Amino acid sequence: MAHDVFVSHSVKDKAVAEAIVARLEAESVTCWIAPRDVVPGADWGESIIDAIESSRIMILIFSRSADASSQIKREVERAVNKGVYIIPFRVDDIPPTRSLEYFISTSQWMDAFSPPLEPHLDNLAKTVTAVLKRPPLPAATVPAQPERPPIPKPLTCPPSSRKSILIPVAIAILMIVAAAGWYLGHPHGKPQPKMSDMEWDTDRLGADYAGFSLPTDNPKQCEDACRSDERCRSWTYVKPNTIRGPKPMCYLKSAIPPRQDNPSCVSGTKSQ
C-alpha cells in the first residue's frame, strides 16, 4: 500500500516521530512508521524497503542518535536512489557525519531544536502538504541510441545531366551565403529572463534540483545561476554560518514553492 510519508527515526526519537505522525495524519496525510506499520510476521527489512519505495516523502528526524545509526543511513540511501523527496527535521544542533551528508547535502533542513515543538510541527505539515500537491517528478530515462544508418553510395550522373544539377546547387549555395551574411550583420540573441526583486529573510522550501556552495557571501551569484539555467524557476540563497554550515549555499528549484519567513535565507523567482 502506498503512503504519502515515510518517517525515518531512531528509537530514541520515538516521541518526536509519533508527534509528527499525529500532526500529519490530522491533515489526512498517510504515514508509515516502524514498528506500528510493520505487519506481524513480515520481514522487517523488506517491509521498510517496500514502504520507502512506495512513499512520496521521507521525513528524516535528524538527531545525535540518528546520525550514529547505520540503519538510518541505509534508509536515506534507499530514498535517494528511488527519488523520494527528503525533508531533514533537525532536533539536535549538530552537523551530519560525512557518510550521511553525502546523501542529504542538497536537501533544505528544517530546524526544530528550539522549543516548543508545536510551531515546528505546523511548519512541517505546511511543507509536506505543499510538496504533495505538486505532481511527482517523472523518472529519468535515457533514450536508446539509434542504429547508425549505412553510408549511402554516391550516385553517378550521366555527363548530359551534370550541368542541369550544378546550376540549382550553385544558386542554393549563394542563397545560404547571403542568409549567413545577413544573420551575422544583424543583432540577435535570446532575451534575458526577467527576475523578481530579491526576497530578503525569505525561504522557498522545496523543488530543489541543484544545491552548491558559493565562493563569496553574495546572493546575486545564486540569482545569476538561476537566470542562466533554463530549468530554474526560483532560487534560495542560504547565508554562511547559519542553517547550512559555514559556507554560503545556493539552491536552484524547478518550481516556485510558497514563501516562508527565514532570516537565514534570500530568495527570488524567474518569469518564463
Side-chain angles (χ1 to χ4, degrees):
M1 177 181 177
H3 294 80
D4 295 324
V5 172
F6 178 95
V7 180
S8 176
H9 70 288
S10 166
V11 65
K12 295 182 179 180
D13 301 315
K14 179 181 178 182
V16 177
E18 291 178 343
I20 289 175
V21 171
R23 181 66 181 83
L24 294 180
E25 290 185 340
E27 300 289 336
S28 299
V29 175
T30 58
C31 299
W32 195 100
I33 183 173
R36 184 193 72 174
D37 296 311
V38 177
V39 177
D43 181 82
W44 182 279
E46 183 177 347
S47 298
I48 289 178
I49 294 300
D50 290 342
I52 292 173
E53 294 181 356
S54 61
S55 298
R56 289 277 307 277
I57 299 172
M58 169 183 280
I59 295 177
L60 167 63
I61 302 178
F62 181 76
S63 65
R64 289 181 175 85
S65 299
D67 193 43
S69 170
S70 58
Q71 174 65 30
I72 296 294
K73 293 182 179 67
R74 287 193 291 269
E75 291 177 1
V76 173
E77 179 182 6
R78 175 58 56 177
V80 171
N81 289 337
K82 293 300 179 180
V84 178
Y85 191 97
I86 300 177
I87 301 177
F89 191 75
R90 192 163 64 150
V91 296
D92 285 332
D93 189 9
I94 60 169
T97 56
R98 288 188 178 273
S99 58
L100 190 57
E101 183 182 13
Y102 175 80
F103 294 106
I104 58 177
S105 59
T106 60
S107 301
Q108 286 191 266
W109 297 58
M110 296 190 68
D111 291 338
F113 44 78
S114 58
L117 182 62
E118 286 72 18
H120 303 301
L121 296 179
D122 292 339
N123 289 335
L124 178 62
K126 292 178 182 178
T127 301
V128 168
T129 53
V131 172
L132 292 175
K133 288 179 181 178
R134 299 197 300 266
L137 295 176
T141 58
V142 179
Q145 295 294 326
E147 296 183 1
R148 181 175 297 178
I151 301 176
K153 296 182 179 180
L155 298 176
T156 58
C157 301
S160 59
S161 61
R162 289 178 182 176
K163 184 175 181 181
S164 59
I165 295 176
L166 290 176
I167 293 176
V169 170
I171 295 175
I173 293 175
L174 290 175
M175 293 177 64
I176 293 173
V177 172
W182 179 90
Y183 179 80
L184 295 174
H186 289 74
H188 56 278
K190 188 175 181 180
Q192 291 293 317
K194 184 178 180 181
M195 308 298 292
S196 70
D197 294 334
M198 289 190 184
E199 302 165 349
W200 296 91
D201 299 329
T202 299
D203 189 4
R204 287 188 177 271
L205 185 63
D208 302 346
Y209 69 88
F212 48 89
S213 60
L214 296 172
T216 61
D217 180 10
N218 185 357
K220 184 67 166 57
Q221 295 176 338
C222 191
E223 181 187 54
D224 291 342
C226 181
R227 177 186 288 108
S228 61
D229 192 330
E230 292 185 356
R231 183 180 176 185
C232 183
R233 295 293 311 283
S234 61
W235 57 274
T236 292
Y237 169 84
V238 181
K239 301 174 184 177
N241 300 311
T242 55
I243 59 176
R244 293 302 294 126
K247 295 182 179 180
M249 297 292 296
C250 177
Y251 296 91
L252 305 184
K253 304 164 186 294
S254 58
I256 303 179
R259 297 179 57 169
Q260 297 184 17
D261 293 336
N262 191 331
S264 301
C265 300
V266 183
S267 296
T269 62
K270 179 171 70 176
S271 300
Q272 291 194 352

